Amino acid sequence: MRNISGRQLLAAVIFLAATLVLTVQLINPTPVVVSVGDNGSDVVEAGEQFRYTEVGIITVAAWVMGASMLYLVVSVERGSVLTEPSTTTSSAESSVQTDGTERPVHLEFTDDVNSLVERHRTQFDETTDRLDDTEREIYSMVLDADGKIQQREIVADTDFSKATVTRTLDSLETKGLLERKRQGVGNVVVLQESASP
């Protein structure tokens, strides 16, 4: 079961309050009373109508209700994507904390992943002979990170631009060394299963 963040709880309370306001306004339209006769002694109820202020309240309540529900759905979906386990790891922590700040991803690898990292390391000298300097540096970073690193960390820890990192990762994927997997709003760079020397 997932923990509910403070923002999600606030959005849920706002959603319930907006639903209550909308329901009360829709159930209780204002009756229209018409006075008939010369002296206004006869009063006739002509039906129930909504006044402009009531229509405004209904509209605002509907918008608030929709916005809070959208926030709840998106935050739950985002949280489930971020905490979804990767196929190459036995467990991974979310890289986004409940307050929205990022933290380093802590990974526990299975024996298969450890052997994959070792296989890449044993072929490292032979493999890096056919790589340029940029490819070699990025490939080394992934190996040093035990086979898995966020793409944004590569950009942050090097002097390479995002475009250079993207082009280099394209090249390393073509060469069968690395691959990118979607995780949340970014990519995780991992070693490919079949490292070709």
Side-chain angles (χ1 to χ4, degrees):
M1 183 176 166
R2 294 183 66 247
N3 292 332
I4 297 176
S5 72
R7 290 179 183 166
Q8 289 173 328
L9 184 60
L10 178 63
V13 169
I14 290 172
F15 174 78
L16 291 175
T19 303
L20 181 65
V21 169
L22 184 63
T23 303
V24 168
Q25 285 298 321
L26 288 175
I27 289 175
N28 297 317
T30 304
V32 175
V33 178
V34 177
S35 298
V36 182
D38 292 336
N39 59 0
S41 58
D42 293 332
V43 176
V44 178
E45 190 171 306
E48 297 179 340
Q49 303 290 325
F50 291 106
R51 289 189 238 152
Y52 288 120
T53 56
E54 293 169 333
V55 171
I57 291 170
I58 290 170
T59 303
V60 169
W63 275 98
V64 169
M65 191 172 78
S68 59
M69 179 53 78
L70 179 64
Y71 174 79
L72 286 172
V73 169
V74 168
S75 67
V76 167
E77 286 295 317
R78 182 173 179 233
S80 66
V81 168
L82 289 174
T83 58
E84 189 175 272
S86 173
T87 55
T88 59
T89 61
S90 60
S91 67
E93 293 179 4
S94 171
S95 62
V96 177
Q97 299 182 73
T98 54
D99 63 357
T101 60
E102 293 184 16
R103 68 172 172 237
V105 177
H106 171 71
L107 304 168
E108 296 173 20
F109 290 102
T110 62
D111 291 338
D112 292 339
V113 174
N114 285 331
S115 65
L116 177 64
V117 171
E118 285 307 313
R119 193 171 52 221
H120 275 267
R121 283 189 176 141
T122 56
Q123 298 172 355
F124 182 77
D125 290 334
E126 189 177 342
T127 301
T128 55
D129 286 343
R130 61 188 174 96
L131 301 179
D132 64 30
D133 291 339
T134 307
E135 292 171 332
R136 188 176 304 111
E137 185 172 344
I138 290 176
Y139 182 58
S140 296
M141 284 183 74
V142 176
L143 280 174
D144 291 342
D146 291 327
K148 186 169 186 175
I149 189 171
Q150 297 281 342
Q151 184 172 339
R152 67 178 164 267
E153 286 181 42
I154 296 172
V155 174
D157 294 345
T158 63
D159 293 329
F160 305 137
S161 66
K162 287 182 182 181
T164 301
V165 170
T166 301
R167 277 194 310 273
T168 305
L169 289 173
D170 288 341
S171 173
L172 290 168
E173 279 184 311
T174 304
K175 293 177 180 178
L177 297 172
L178 303 177
E179 65 180 306
R180 284 168 284 193
K181 295 186 178 185
R182 196 80 180 149
Q183 185 179 40
V185 294
N187 290 328
V188 175
V189 180
V190 296
L191 297 173
Q192 276 195 23
E193 292 292 329
S194 55
S196 52

